[in-house]
């Protein structure tokens, strides 16, 4: 009898020990699985952020390539004009000294244009990079920043800015607008156009007759927020609406309509800077 009791006790002890070991191993596996899951999610987020950075870099490279082609075209036009001047000089017996002066003036003007263009491009890239770095990963999902032909375009989705079917700015837009306002204030040599855009779905509400009204009212709301809440100089701001007539894509799908419902903040060099360039152009003889 005592032997039976002893055997049973030993078996129970073994089962208990096995149970404890299994439970501990299970807890370790669960902990390891949790750590792996967290690591996977973190890697996934980093990959998503890198993809967004790559897309932004590709857009900037494309813009710079386009600007380079424009500069080549401008140079070719100036070269043609110079060749024409040389021909005219030969035909009209213009003195060599006068011709050299004209060439020097043309070269000086070209250098001036290149210098201003280069400075503008550099400022645009710095502005874009500063803005992109200031936005969170979540904000970058709803804010698109691009530089096209020397102009910075910041496109914001309507559902992050406004209450549904309204032109009133919602609470969650405040932080994003404050970051954009800081960039605008840091670059005081630029003017800012706020442009509202809608899809093609008709709207008719009190004080909103159609999509023209809605796009203009939304742009005006952003302008007033930048002025009144974030201290942007109103003299630098312009509000405009394009209704449904400036779509990015087709309005035949819900995703297409969502892309077309946007507000663009367009940052451009001041017009008087370009007028100064025109004034400094060498006189044609």
């Amino acid at each position: 009898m005592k032997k039976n009791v002893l055997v049973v006790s030993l078996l129970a002890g073994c089962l208990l020990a096995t149970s404890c070991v299994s439970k501990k191993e299970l807890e370790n596996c669960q902990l390891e699985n949790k750590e792996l899951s967290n690591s996977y999610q973190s890697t996934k987020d980093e990959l998503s952020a890198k993809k967004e950075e790559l897309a932004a870099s590709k857009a900037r490279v494309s813009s710079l390539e386009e600007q380079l082609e424009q500069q080549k075209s401008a140079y070719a036009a100036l070269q043609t004009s110079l060749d024409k001047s040389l021909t005219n000089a030969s035909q009209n017996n213009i003195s060599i000294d006068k011709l050299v002066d004209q060439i020097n003036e043309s070269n000086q003007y070209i250098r001036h244009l290149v210098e201003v263009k280069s400075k503008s491009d550099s400022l645009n890239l710095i502005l874009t990079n500063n803005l992109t770095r200031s936005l969170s990963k979540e904000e970058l999902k709803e804010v698109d920043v691009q530089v096209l032909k020397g102009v910075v375009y910041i496109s914001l989705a309507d559902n992050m800015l406004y209450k549904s079917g309204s032109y009133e700015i919602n609470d969650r837009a405040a932080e994003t607008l404050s970051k954009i306002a800081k960039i605008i204030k840091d670059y005081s040599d630029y003017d800012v156009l706020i442009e509202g855009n809608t899809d093609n779905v008709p709207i008719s509400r009190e004080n909103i007759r159609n999509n023209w009204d809605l796009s203009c009212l939304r742009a005006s709301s952003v302008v007033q927020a930048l002025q009144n809440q974030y201290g942007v100089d109103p003299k630098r701001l312009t509000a405009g609406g394009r209704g449904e007539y400036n779509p990015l894509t087709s309005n035949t799908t819900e995703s297409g309509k969502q892309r077309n419902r946007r507000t663009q903040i367009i940052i451009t060099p001041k017009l008087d800077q370009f007028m100064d360039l025109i004034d400094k152009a060498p006189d044609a003889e």
Side-chain angles (χ1 to χ4, degrees):
M1 182 69 178
K2 289 182 179 179
K3 289 182 178 180
N4 291 338
V5 172
L6 180 60
V7 170
V8 171
S9 298
L10 288 172
L11 288 172
C14 290
L15 289 172
L16 181 61
T18 302
S19 175
C20 291
V21 171
S22 298
K23 184 177 180 181
K24 185 174 181 181
E25 289 179 347
L26 177 61
E27 290 176 348
N28 288 337
C29 287
Q30 289 174 336
L31 179 60
E32 185 177 354
N33 181 63
K34 184 177 180 180
E35 291 175 349
L36 288 172
S37 297
N38 291 338
S39 176
Y40 170 74
Q41 186 60 45
S42 176
T43 302
K44 188 177 178 182
D45 291 341
E46 290 178 5
L47 178 59
S48 177
K50 293 299 180 185
K51 286 181 177 179
E52 290 170 356
E53 290 178 8
L54 178 60
S57 297
K58 286 182 177 179
R60 289 194 287 271
V61 169
S62 176
S63 174
L64 288 173
E65 289 175 346
E66 183 178 352
Q67 292 168 17
L68 179 59
E69 288 301 318
Q70 291 174 352
Q71 289 183 357
K72 286 181 179 178
S73 298
Y75 179 80
L78 287 170
Q79 185 64 51
T80 300
S81 177
L82 180 58
D83 291 341
K84 186 176 179 181
S85 296
L86 288 170
T87 302
N88 291 337
S90 177
Q91 293 174 349
N92 298 320
N93 296 319
I94 297 176
S95 69
I96 296 298
D97 290 340
K98 187 173 183 180
L99 183 59
V100 169
D101 289 340
Q102 290 179 354
I103 293 173
N104 288 336
E105 287 180 359
S106 296
N107 288 337
Q108 184 179 0
Y109 181 55
I110 292 172
R111 286 194 296 270
H112 180 67
L113 283 177
V114 171
E115 181 182 348
V116 172
K117 187 71 168 62
S118 176
K119 181 180 179 182
S120 176
D121 291 343
S122 299
L123 283 173
N124 284 340
L125 287 176
I126 293 172
L127 184 156
T128 303
N129 289 333
N130 288 346
L131 178 59
T132 303
R133 282 197 297 266
S134 70
L135 297 174
S136 67
K137 292 180 181 178
E138 291 302 315
E139 288 173 321
L140 284 172
K141 294 178 182 178
E142 298 179 299
V143 179
D144 180 46
V145 183
Q146 294 187 39
V147 178
L148 299 173
K149 297 182 179 179
V151 178
V152 180
Y153 291 83
I154 307 170
S155 186
L156 302 99
D158 74 317
N159 57 354
M160 80 159 293
L161 274 178
Y162 312 105
K163 298 176 182 178
S164 180
S166 170
Y167 55 86
E168 294 182 19
I169 295 179
N170 62 35
D171 294 334
R172 69 185 278 250
E175 185 174 355
T176 303
L177 283 179
S178 68
K179 294 175 181 177
I180 293 173
K182 183 181 183 305
I183 295 295
I184 292 173
K185 290 166 69 177
D186 286 345
Y187 292 83
S188 58
D189 289 336
Y190 285 69
D191 283 333
V192 184
L193 168 64
I194 313 299
E195 180 186 276
N197 295 271
T198 70
D199 57 27
N200 65 346
V201 178
I203 184 171
S204 181
R205 298 189 179 184
E206 186 178 359
N207 297 326
I208 304 178
R209 295 167 296 182
N210 48 42
N211 284 329
W212 278 116
D213 279 0
L214 180 60
S215 63
C216 291
L217 288 167
R218 285 183 165 180
S220 178
S221 292
V222 174
V223 163
Q224 292 180 68
L226 291 174
Q227 174 189 354
N228 299 329
Q229 298 177 33
Y230 306 110
V232 177
D233 184 354
K235 294 178 181 178
R236 299 174 55 199
L237 299 172
T238 302
R242 303 189 67 175
E244 63 199 68
Y245 302 105
N246 184 37
L248 290 175
T249 185
S250 171
N251 282 301
T252 56
T253 64
E254 284 303 318
S255 61
K257 291 176 182 176
Q258 185 174 357
R259 285 194 66 197
N260 292 332
R261 295 192 302 267
R262 69 199 186 282
T263 296
Q264 287 190 310
I265 299 178
I266 304 171
I267 305 175
T268 63
K270 290 187 176 180
L271 182 60
D272 56 7
Q273 294 177 353
F274 290 107
M275 297 306 294
D276 287 344
L277 287 180
I278 295 174
D279 293 338
K280 292 175 183 176
D283 295 331
E285 293 293 336

